[in-house]
Amino acid sequence: MKLIINGLGRLGLAIAQLAIAQDLEVVAAVDSEKKAARGFEIFEKLENCPQADIIIDSSHAKAVPQLLIDAEKLQIPLVICTTGLSQETLAQIQKTAENLPIFLSSNMSLGVNLISKLSATAAKALDGANFDIEIVETHHNQKLDAPSGTALLLAQSINASADGKYKFVYDRSQYMQKRCPDEIGISAIRGGSIVGEHTVIFAGPDEVIEITHKAASREIFARGALKAVRFMMDKKPGLYTMDDLLK
């Protein structure tokens, strides 16, 4: 199985190292910056790369629209790990998936996707019991997007279980009023080298329930990305997610 890694940031490097350890062949990477030699060539453009079976994208949100165009032209399936995607880019992914197999997840960790399901189940069970829902996410000081794609994944999963009744609130400093019961508050903390922590808080009358996931290293995301790679082999055009992988 031949892989191209699009974006050699922290996650891209972790994916490359783990792929090689799993006897997968990384034939090339695409990155705009010069990187140290790592056993495969690095190109500035996807079209210059050798032939591959699949592309793993771990670049940044602004690079994804062009990647979709190039991957569709070359007919190479995609696993997209990049977060912070705009609604326009998400719509472009949906359109491209009509002609190309694409796997998309805001978080490649199997554990995160499990707490997403647990949080949705908890929200449904606590509906009508006067529980407020807050999500707190913490990441390293180099992360560009806030809130994280994972925080949004958790909020959207909860909201879907509640028939879309919640609105998301990211900043309470702009107005002075009591918290509304139909809110999901989302707070972002940035500092140090924290890989990623997410906590869903259900705060009710005289009791609090917390569901937390802590990432100790980026290898958990790399492992999930490579599971997605194996899952996507020989898939027909369409948009696939962690829900499909975990079935």
Side-chain angles (χ1 to χ4, degrees):
M1 191 180 300
K2 297 182 178 181
L3 316 180
I4 294 173
I5 299 175
N6 188 61
L8 274 183
R10 297 181 183 188
L11 178 56
L13 290 172
I15 291 171
Q17 291 168 1
L18 189 60
I20 293 168
Q22 292 185 4
D23 294 326
L24 297 170
E25 184 180 359
V26 179
V27 296
V30 179
D31 200 280
S32 59
E33 297 181 11
K34 297 289 185 182
K35 306 282 183 177
R38 298 180 182 276
F40 49 85
E41 280 198 79
I42 302 170
F43 299 87
E44 289 190 9
K45 294 183 178 180
L46 179 63
E47 62 188 20
N48 296 330
C49 293
Q51 187 174 355
D53 299 308
I54 198 160
I55 302 164
I56 305 179
D57 174 59
S58 60
S59 57
H60 53 83
K62 290 182 180 179
V64 173
Q66 186 61 49
L67 171 65
L68 291 166
I69 294 170
D70 294 341
E72 183 176 13
K73 180 180 178 181
L74 296 169
Q75 281 297 293
I76 306 176
L78 278 171
V79 171
I80 300 176
C81 309
T82 300
T83 62
L85 303 176
S86 67
Q87 290 302 314
E88 292 80 6
T89 300
L90 291 172
Q92 186 183 353
I93 290 171
Q94 289 274 4
K95 182 67 176 175
T96 305
E98 295 176 6
N99 301 308
L100 189 73
I102 299 177
F103 187 100
L104 175 66
S105 178
S106 298
N107 192 300
M108 289 292 171
S109 160
L110 300 181
V112 162
N113 284 275
L114 174 60
I115 73 161
S116 175
K117 292 180 181 294
L118 292 173
S119 298
T121 300
K124 197 166 186 178
L126 296 171
D127 187 38
N130 297 320
F131 276 76
D132 297 319
I133 305 174
E134 294 282 318
I135 297 172
V136 180
E137 56 99 345
T138 307
H139 284 87
H140 55 88
N141 57 22
Q142 300 300 301
K143 186 169 177 61
L144 299 178
D145 55 316
S148 68
T150 301
L152 293 174
L153 170 71
L154 295 169
Q156 289 160 0
S157 180
I158 291 168
N159 205 22
S161 74
D163 298 322
K165 76 175 185 178
Y166 291 108
K167 62 181 179 181
F168 303 162
V169 176
Y170 307 104
D171 183 6
R172 302 187 192 281
S173 67
Q174 302 303 310
Y175 54 91
M176 294 185 65
Q177 65 183 49
K178 288 194 251 182
R179 187 190 196 283
C180 297
D182 62 349
E183 293 178 6
I184 296 179
I186 305 176
S187 302
I189 299 170
R190 297 288 176 266
S193 59
I194 299 167
V195 176
E197 298 180 4
H198 295 83
T199 297
V200 183
I201 303 168
F202 297 90
D206 303 316
E207 59 182 332
V208 175
I209 301 166
E210 295 185 358
I211 301 174
T212 297
H213 178 273
K214 296 183 179 183
S217 77
R218 286 173 183 79
E219 189 170 313
I220 64 169
F221 310 123
R223 281 199 299 268
L226 294 178
K227 282 182 180 292
V229 163
R230 297 181 189 280
F231 170 80
M232 287 296 287
M233 290 305 297
D234 301 321
K235 286 290 187 292
K236 295 179 180 179
L239 184 58
Y240 301 87
T241 68
M242 272 291 181
D243 285 341
D244 301 303
L245 189 153
L246 294 173
K247 283 180 182 176

